[in-house]
Amino acid sequence: MLRVLLVNDTNKQVGSLRTALVQAGCDVVEEVSSALMIPKRVAELKADIVIIDTESPSRDVLEQICVMTQDAPRPIVMVSEDTQPAAIKAAIKAGVSAYVVEDIDAGRLSAVLDVAQARFEQDQALMSQIRQAESKLNERKIVERAKGLLIQLRSMTESEAYHAMRKMAMDRNIRIIDVAHKLLAMNELLA
């Protein structure tokens, strides 16, 4: 059963949306009327998904989505009357997983929630891959700096410097990045 935080950022009642969510087997844990409450309430209620009903995504709503996405990412469905491409792009950029124009038909609600969850999971997987690639790139830069240091101080070739670092890592049963960090730290200490 999905735990849903329902955000009503309009002047209208969202009773039909709430009813449709319950009929779809969701647990609407709370309905809030202020976008400023989104990050705090998501964390406190441990909501699985956030549904925001808004006439048009305001800057405040988009900012709170960004905050929530950084602190406690969740799938977000935005139901809006705004069909402007700029509004849709801004919402997606902020972290919205599914953008639905007008009301969600009760018969399509489960499909919309499934799409939002699938999109969210795909985005999270991509973000994880990006973080891993950035980490590897940063490690590579540090190893290259350490190799450069050995080349400069010991008059080694690039291959000799790498093999020396690799041998040290294997002898000490540590990673080559750890050897690179130690070499650079020792050089700073002695400089």
Side-chain angles (χ1 to χ4, degrees):
M1 180 178 281
L2 279 178
R3 295 174 51 82
V4 177
L5 174 64
L6 185 56
V7 180
N8 183 5
D9 190 48
T10 68
N11 293 326
K12 63 182 180 178
Q13 293 290 327
V14 291
S16 61
L17 180 55
R18 182 185 195 91
T19 302
L21 286 165
V22 171
Q23 288 174 350
C26 297
D27 176 17
V28 180
V29 291
E30 186 171 288
E31 182 180 328
V32 297
S33 59
S34 170
L36 297 174
M37 298 178 71
I38 295 172
K40 180 181 177 188
R41 299 308 291 157
V42 165
E44 290 174 354
L45 299 169
K46 297 183 178 21
D48 298 316
I49 193 165
V50 177
I51 299 179
I52 302 171
D53 192 2
T54 183
E55 290 168 9
S56 178
S58 69
R59 196 174 115 216
D60 288 342
V61 169
L62 296 176
E63 285 176 1
Q64 294 309 310
I65 291 171
C66 287
V67 169
M68 185 201 82
T69 301
Q70 289 175 354
D71 297 341
R74 299 287 193 286
I76 302 168
V77 175
M78 182 170 283
V79 181
S80 178
E81 296 172 8
D82 195 339
T83 61
Q84 297 297 314
I88 296 168
K89 286 179 184 175
I92 299 297
K93 186 176 180 182
V96 170
S97 306
Y99 190 97
V100 180
V101 178
E102 301 297 329
D103 290 330
I104 298 179
D105 178 64
R108 292 183 348 187
L109 184 59
S110 290
V112 169
L113 295 176
D114 290 343
V115 167
Q117 287 180 298
R119 183 73 198 166
F120 173 77
E121 289 167 6
Q122 182 181 18
D123 288 349
Q124 292 300 302
L126 287 173
M127 292 303 293
S128 176
Q129 289 174 351
I130 289 170
R131 284 189 294 273
Q132 288 175 357
E134 287 174 342
S135 177
K136 286 180 181 180
L137 180 60
N138 287 334
E139 286 183 4
R140 184 77 184 145
K141 287 178 182 178
I142 292 168
V143 169
E144 290 297 320
R145 280 185 37 219
K147 277 191 332 189
L149 181 64
L150 287 177
I151 291 168
Q152 177 187 3
L153 295 176
R154 299 283 181 128
S155 301
M156 294 177 153
T157 66
E158 184 175 349
S159 179
E160 290 170 336
Y162 179 76
H163 287 295
M165 289 173 56
R166 185 169 170 224
K167 181 177 178 352
M168 186 181 288
M170 290 172 73
D171 289 348
R172 295 199 168 116
N173 198 24
I174 59 176
R175 297 176 4 176
I176 198 164
I177 185 66
D178 298 326
V179 170
H181 279 297
K182 290 177 188 234
L183 286 171
L184 293 171
M186 186 60 69
N187 185 57
E188 285 182 28
L189 183 67
L190 296 175

